[in-house]
Amino acid sequence: MLFEELLNELSPEQAVGQEQEKDNKRPSPLVISIEQETKNNSEFRKVVKTTTNSQIILMSVDPGNELGHEVHHDADQFFRIESGLCVFEFGKNKDTVVEVREGEAVLVPAGLWHNVYVPGNANEPCKFYTIYSPPTHKTIKINNKEIDIDDHNKE
């Protein structure tokens, strides 16, 4: 579903709420059990909170899948693995490979090419959260849930 189609599905009340959300300059805090939320998440990408300076996303990557080789020129990205294991590849040519397990964290500085994948022989999905600073995924809030516009534009 494209972003425009997603917007068309909004009721007038929801659309008004979107405008009010933009106009409301007062930030709201986020207090959650990030470990529990991450372990309970089954969505590939679930945006939890986006602020002006950061964005928290929960991820669940099945064995044999990957995020894709990418670089964020203007954003740092922090990863914390809560369950399972994954493999990080760093550099434009993926010349540095590191296996990362539950309880470990990775900080990818802006400008560093990276990929994350879960080996096909893994016993379970790798569940982690990632924090971008500043935010990199465009979102819209619908019924108090942040929807990743990038995911909807891929379909």
Side-chain angles (χ1 to χ4, degrees):
M1 175 181 296
L2 294 176
F3 175 62
E4 292 79 19
E5 294 169 342
L6 187 64
L7 283 178
N8 289 334
E9 290 184 8
L10 291 176
S11 69
E13 295 80 21
Q14 291 170 323
V16 168
Q18 292 299 311
E19 292 306 314
Q20 289 172 347
E21 183 84 20
K22 286 182 200 172
D23 293 340
N24 184 358
K25 301 279 191 241
R26 195 172 90 196
S28 61
L30 172 68
V31 180
I32 62 171
S33 172
I34 191 79
E35 181 179 359
Q36 213 44 52
E37 291 291 326
T38 303
K39 287 181 176 181
N40 291 338
N41 175 51
S42 60
E43 295 178 43
F44 177 75
R45 179 182 295 125
K46 180 179 179 182
V47 178
V48 175
K49 177 89 172 172
T50 302
T51 68
T52 303
N53 298 310
S54 64
Q55 184 173 53
I56 300 174
I57 297 177
L58 307 181
M59 303 284 302
S60 179
V61 182
D62 290 329
N65 290 321
E66 65 179 270
L67 299 187
H69 198 219
E70 63 183 1
V71 64
H72 307 291
H73 294 288
D74 299 318
D76 291 341
Q77 187 173 7
F78 171 85
F79 295 84
R80 162 74 182 182
I81 311 306
E82 294 297 346
S83 68
L85 88 109
C86 59
V87 177
F88 280 75
E89 299 170 316
F90 299 106
K92 189 143 182 130
N93 298 317
K94 303 179 183 180
D95 45 4
T96 302
V97 178
V98 180
E99 192 172 275
V100 183
R101 299 179 178 278
E102 181 176 330
E104 296 180 327
V106 174
L107 177 63
V108 179
L112 179 62
W113 281 90
H114 60 283
N115 183 29
V116 180
Y117 71 88
V118 179
N121 63 351
N123 296 327
E124 61 183 334
C126 182
K127 296 191 177 209
F128 57 90
Y129 64 89
T130 184
I131 301 173
Y132 294 94
S133 182
T136 61
H137 291 271
K138 296 177 184 170
T139 63
I140 184 169
K141 199 167 198 171
I142 300 175
N143 294 331
N144 292 323
K145 180 179 179 184
E146 286 195 52
I147 306 296
D148 189 330
I149 295 170
D150 295 334
D151 282 348
H152 289 282
N153 281 332
K154 288 179 185 173
E155 296 178 6

